Amino acid sequence: MSEPFLERLKIAQNLLAKYKVVPSTSKGSALLLSAALEKHRSGDTAYRYRANSNIFYLTGSTEGNFTLLLRSDASPILYAPPISAHELRWEGHARNPENLAKKLKSEVKLKEADTLPSLILEDLKGYSHLFIDGESESLAVKIAKRFIAQDLGSRYPTSVSRASLLLGELRQIKSVEEIKSIEESVDIAERVLLEIIPQLKSGMSEKEVKNLILSGYAKFGAEESFNTIVAAGKNGAYLHYRGCTGRLSKGAPLLIDTGCEVALYCSDLTRTLPIGGFTPLQEAIYEYVHEAYRAVCSLIRPGVEYRQIQEKCVEVLVKGLRRLKILNGPVGRLIKEKSYLPFFPHSIGHSLGLDVHDVSPLRDTREGILKAGMVLTVEPGLYFTKESVRKFSLPFAPMGFRLENDIAVTSRGARLLGGKLPIDLRGIKELTG
Ligand SMILES: [Mn+2]
């Protein structure tokens, strides 16, 4: 990827300038971002480190232990503790704040960790609004909490909001290079699934399937972009099933929801697969979900309201549920009364990018207009939990169906990212044999 970061910093500074707030004597708004913290797992071990997406978007850095301040009227400042001999000996040269500051044409303030908060406070004097991002123990959040408590007086920011309010509009429109990275990550996830799906058979554990997927990603130098869901039979009815303790069994559809990360850009794909064949009823359910997928995809283009694609999805699924005789009554009424919610309780998808549920005003409000450069998941589903099977006296075992692909909105319409992994019933039946 070419290096767009200086330009993005400039754009973010311009956005800050637009956020000039009262009083007029104020220097305006500032943006304070802390790198992600290492997350403690157990004992002396930590979870795999994942950079903060806003920091990566603006700087291209995956280093830890620094905080970046952006203001509209001054050059960026990077604050970090200097690298200690202990750090160097135990971790090698994992970060280089001086180099990073040079790359970002920013000032660098290397000071012991306990003196950094007062340095940052000093540099925020005169600004009245602060955008922040960081975890609860990060410098950015600790400082913001002092402003929220208003114990520092009016010479410091008196209002605080999340950085995504400033950067969301920007990040939701992807550049050609960003879409390329997302597509690379889709491509890897598809290749891994194409290799693994024909090997699936009754008796395998969900964990075994998950590990096959993870080692598939590793072969490409990629890692999963979220906790892969492998859900057999009844487990597939739970949207974010985390158990991974079940087993594949004949006649119980298997739902796999997975994706990987390339240069921090994510993919997110879901397939529902027959294990030893689908029953005619399972095929019918699959076809309704697939019909909803196709209907939504054919609507996607710039200018379409996000709400419209959600409504289209609901309409197709409700018609399917009626034909299956699971819901009865006029379509309009079933939609109005939201009778479909036990079977389709989520929205059609989400923005995709540096985060698998990427920052976007669409995601926050479920409202807004599709624009070229957005990347969305389309993921309709129909779910039959143990509870709804009982409540609606359904003549089959609990299970879930979801189909998901990643779509880029182009200037003329939509483009499916990847596309090597079949999503239609015939293609899936051929692949599973
Ligand atoms: Mn998704």
Side-chain angles (χ1 to χ4, degrees):
M1 196 192 282
S2 62
E3 296 219 352
F5 306 111
L6 288 177
E7 196 188 323
R8 287 183 189 160
L9 285 172
K10 195 99 233 122
I11 295 171
Q13 283 180 309
N14 289 339
L15 289 175
L16 284 170
K18 283 194 206 155
Y19 263 91
K20 273 249 185 270
V21 278
V22 282
S24 55
T25 50
S26 150
K27 294 196 226 165
S29 306
L31 170 66
L32 191 64
L33 303 169
S34 280
L37 301 169
E38 194 152 273
K39 287 186 193 57
H40 177 247
R41 183 168 176 268
S42 169
D44 283 342
T45 64
Y47 284 103
R48 173 168 72 91
Y49 185 77
R50 203 323 182 141
N52 173 297
S53 297
N54 281 324
I55 290 247
F56 181 79
Y57 183 79
L58 291 176
T59 68
S61 170
T62 55
E63 286 178 22
N65 215 351
F66 73 91
T67 291
L68 180 72
L69 174 64
L70 274 191
R71 298 161 299 176
S72 61
D73 58 343
S75 50
I77 306 178
L78 192 147
Y79 310 86
I83 295 163
S84 66
H86 178 271
E87 194 179 345
L88 199 56
R89 178 67 190 84
W90 284 76
E91 293 176 27
H93 222 309
R95 62 188 182 98
N96 190 339
E98 272 163 323
N99 228 358
L100 179 62
K102 202 148 86 192
K103 205 179 103 188
L104 301 176
K105 298 198 182 346
S106 72
E107 244 183 273
V108 58
K109 296 191 176 176
L110 296 179
K111 289 275 155 38
E112 288 313 313
D114 54 353
T115 62
L116 291 175
S118 53
L119 273 181
I120 298 175
L121 278 179
E122 198 50 40
D123 293 325
L124 280 168
K125 224 183 243 173
Y127 292 85
S128 50
H129 185 80
L130 185 66
F131 293 94
I132 57 153
D133 192 19
E135 289 138 72
S136 57
E137 289 305 305
S138 67
L139 268 181
V141 171
K142 281 183 176 167
I143 285 172
K145 279 182 181 159
R146 298 198 60 184
F147 297 143
I148 291 166
Q150 300 204 341
D151 63 350
L152 291 163
S154 59
R155 288 192 304 152
Y156 293 95
T158 49
S159 59
V160 174
S161 44
R162 288 182 298 129
S164 58
L165 281 179
L166 186 80
L167 301 175
E169 294 269 359
L170 191 60
R171 271 182 58 191
Q172 74 172 348
I173 306 297
K174 272 79 182 174
S175 67
V176 173
E177 285 82 10
E178 288 184 285
I179 293 177
K180 220 168 118 193
S181 292
I182 298 171
E183 191 157 26
E184 263 177 59
S185 122
V186 172
D187 193 54
I188 291 172
E190 288 198 325
R191 286 209 218 178
V192 168
L193 290 171
L194 277 171
E195 195 189 317
I196 281 161
I197 289 173
Q199 305 170 35
L200 300 176
K201 54 179 184 289
S202 175
M204 284 172 95
S205 69
E206 291 174 349
K207 187 152 274 170
E208 191 180 348
V209 177
K210 181 169 173 163
N211 284 337
L212 283 173
I213 295 170
L214 298 189
S215 70
Y217 291 155
K219 278 187 213 157
F220 289 96
E223 286 166 333
E224 63 180 350
S225 51
F226 59 96
N227 287 329
T228 290
I229 298 171
V230 178
K234 63 179 181 348
N235 298 335
Y238 300 100
L239 309 176
H240 286 170
Y241 166 69
R242 285 179 233 261
C244 214
T245 51
R247 258 178 208 286
L248 281 55
S249 79
K250 193 165 180 290
L254 177 71
L255 188 152
I256 297 179
D257 186 346
T258 186
C260 63
E261 263 182 33
V262 170
L264 268 71
Y265 283 90
C266 304
S267 54
D268 185 6
L269 300 173
T270 306
R271 291 296 183 273
T272 306
L273 308 160
I275 300 298
F278 276 142
T279 64
L281 172 88
Q282 289 168 351
E283 286 198 358
I285 298 171
Y286 191 106
E287 290 284 33
Y288 293 130
V289 175
H290 186 237
E291 197 183 324
Y293 165 81
R294 274 178 308 157
V296 167
C297 288
S298 70
L299 271 186
I300 295 179
R301 62 178 182 277
V304 168
E305 291 209 27
Y306 193 63
R307 195 171 32 82
Q308 272 174 271
I309 64 169
Q310 172 77 10
E311 284 168 2
K312 182 47 129 183
C313 178
V314 165
E315 182 197 316
V316 176
L317 292 177
V318 163
K319 285 181 178 164
L321 287 164
R322 262 179 98 249
R323 271 179 250 144
L324 291 164
K325 306 226 179 318
I326 292 170
L327 291 179
N328 298 299
V331 173
R333 200 191 75 207
L334 294 171
I335 292 175
K336 200 166 158 231
E337 293 175 355
K338 301 195 171 169
S339 312
Y340 56 85
L341 278 181
F343 312 105
F344 179 54
H346 59 78
S347 72
I348 181 61
H350 47 85
S351 192
L352 184 72
L354 284 171
D355 286 301
V356 73
H357 288 182
D358 205 38
V359 62
S360 159
L362 286 186
R363 175 170 156 69
D364 293 339
T365 60
R366 307 263 176 248
E367 295 281 339
I369 285 177
L370 299 184
K371 293 177 193 156
M374 288 179 171
V375 177
L376 312 167
T377 67
V378 174
E379 49 181 310
L382 284 173
Y383 311 90
F384 308 95
T385 60
K386 203 167 67 185
E387 295 74 20
S388 51
V389 162
R390 202 180 308 129
K391 189 173 166 203
F392 292 84
S393 307
L394 303 178
F396 51 82
M399 57 187 170
F401 289 79
R402 179 164 66 251
L403 299 174
E404 177 181 29
N405 271 339
D406 305 331
I407 313 281
V409 184
T410 64
S411 55
R412 291 199 199 138
R415 186 168 74 83
L416 170 66
L417 301 183
K420 289 196 188 79
L421 179 68
I423 194 165
D424 63 305
L425 181 62
R426 207 173 121 199
I428 282 296
K429 280 166 79 171
E430 271 171 25
L431 190 61
T432 47

